[in-house]
Amino acid sequence: LVQLVESGGGSVQAGGSLRLSCAVYGDALGTYSMGWFRQSPGMQREGVVGMDSDGTTTYADSVKGRFTISQDNAKNTLYLQMNSLKPEDTAMYYCAADFRPKIRGNPLLRYEYNYWGQGTQVTVSS
């Protein structure tokens, strides 16, 4: 059973940065497709970025050039570096994983993933 545990959320002013972490337990990170999603109150969960096991990434247009996904296989941890944060980035951020090394469909769709973390809150003030 794979477990995902996010951390690193917090409150920051617009223009600031945060780095989210997702620790993976129960299996090796390097064989999975991984993703970051976010959800604001009253809104659907939306894909932020997806990454195949070979490192191929797909970013949402809203975060391109500002957010960067990475992973440290030795630490079995996924990261999301978020720069130039905007108030509209405020949301609960979730880490997601799928046992397939490559997602053939859209890696920004939530139903492509079968493991989820509990989320970490990011709040950006203007």
Side-chain angles (χ1 to χ4, degrees), residues 48 58-67:
V48 174
T58 302
Y59 287 90
D61 288 342
S62 59
V63 305
K64 281 180 181 177
R66 300 189 299 122
F67 290 11

Side-chain angles (χ1 to χ4, degrees), residues 9-91:
S11 297
V12 64
Q13 289 191 329
S17 298
L18 283 174
R19 189 178 77 156
L20 306 183
S21 299
C22 172
V24 180
Y25 300 95
D27 207 343
L29 172 61
T31 62
Y32 282 68
S33 291
M34 303 295 296
W36 286 98
F37 286 72
R38 64 187 182 186
Q39 187 169 18
S40 303
M43 303 293 288
Q44 290 192 348
R45 192 170 298 187
E46 64 172 352
V48 174
V49 58
M51 183 169 68
D52 293 334
S53 61
D54 64 1
T56 302
T57 55
T58 302
Y59 287 90
D61 288 342
S62 59
V63 305
K64 281 180 181 177
R66 300 189 299 122
F67 290 11
T68 304
I69 189 172
S70 63
Q71 65 185 52
D72 185 333
N73 289 346
K75 295 182 178 180
N76 231 33
T77 300
L78 182 75
Y79 301 100
L80 182 66
Q81 178 66 43
M82 304 185 296
N83 299 328
S84 302
L85 282 162
K86 305 175 181 180
E88 51 263 43
D89 295 319
T90 295

